[in-house]
Each structure stands twice: as C-alpha cells, then as structure tokens.
Amino acid sequence: GHFDEVIGAIDKIIAELKEEAVEDTKKRDQCLDQYQKIESKVKKTEWLIEKNEAQIEKLEALIEKLKKEKEDTLEAIKQVKEDIKAMKKTRKEENEEFLKAKKDDQD
C-alpha cells in the first residue's frame, strides 16, 4: 500500500537522476570536445604567431641590409660623380695647356 507509493516515487526519482546523469555526461563530452577544438585552434594560432614573428624578424633584417646597401650605393654614385667632375676639370686644364702649347708652337 503506502510503501508502494514511496517506492514508486523513489523509482521515479532514480529514473530522473539516471536520465539527468546521461544528459550531464553528454554535455560534459560536448564541452570536452569543444575545449579540445579550442585548445587545438589556440595551439595552431600560437604556432602561426611564432612562425610569423620569425618571418618578421627575417624581413626586418633584410630591410636593414638593403637600406645599408642602398646607402653604400648612393655613396658610391656620389663618389663617381665627384670623380667625373674632377676628371672633366683635369681634362679641361690639360686641353687648355695643350691649346696654349700649340699656339706657342705656331707663334
């Protein structure tokens, strides 16, 4: 009689708890799966950041090297222009001397 109702209620509660346990396990597994996916994305992103930082360092070093080469090249161009200027001056002076000597020879 009376205990049958109590036992029925207990059985109902046990069934609900078992159902909740199954749902909790599903939810836990879903959360673990999501956590693993997120963790994987985080690791991949961290790796990409490291890789990109290394690439940035390489490119910055290359930029510095190329800047130095550019400076050296511009300095060399400047020197060549100065050399040309000096050569033209020397040539003009030598030509003037030649023309003077030629004139002296003719006189």
Side-chain angles (χ1 to χ4, degrees):
H2 182 65
F3 284 111
D4 289 341
E5 281 181 37
V6 172
I7 290 173
I10 291 172
D11 286 345
K12 184 178 174 192
I13 290 172
I14 288 172
E16 286 174 5
L17 290 173
K18 283 182 181 178
E19 199 175 299
E20 284 178 16
V22 168
E23 291 300 315
D24 288 347
T25 301
K26 283 182 186 176
K27 188 66 178 169
R28 183 205 65 206
D29 291 347
Q30 181 186 2
C31 288
L32 281 173
D33 186 50
Q34 284 179 338
Y35 175 80
Q36 287 171 344
K37 285 178 182 174
I38 291 168
E39 186 68 15
S40 175
K41 280 185 183 179
V42 167
K43 293 285 183 208
K44 182 179 179 187
T45 304
E46 286 173 348
W47 178 79
L48 287 172
I49 289 170
E50 280 181 38
K51 186 177 164 193
N52 287 335
E53 285 174 344
Q55 184 68 17
I56 288 168
E57 285 177 24
K58 273 186 185 174
L59 292 174
E60 285 174 342
L62 178 61
I63 288 169
E64 287 307 310
K65 178 183 171 212
L66 293 175
K67 279 183 183 177
K68 177 78 175 103
E69 285 179 14
K70 179 183 171 188
E71 287 172 18
D72 293 347
T73 301
L74 291 174
E75 187 59 37
I77 289 170
K78 182 179 168 190
Q79 187 60 50
V80 166
K81 284 181 178 180
E82 288 173 12
D83 291 347
I84 290 171
K85 196 175 180 182
M87 284 182 219
K88 282 183 178 179
K89 183 179 177 204
T90 302
R91 185 174 163 264
K92 184 179 177 193
E93 290 169 357
E94 288 172 351
N95 191 38
E96 285 172 359
E97 286 176 25
F98 167 77
L99 291 176
K100 184 176 183 246
K102 184 178 168 188
K103 186 174 184 255
D104 288 347
D105 287 346
Q106 289 176 346
D107 289 344

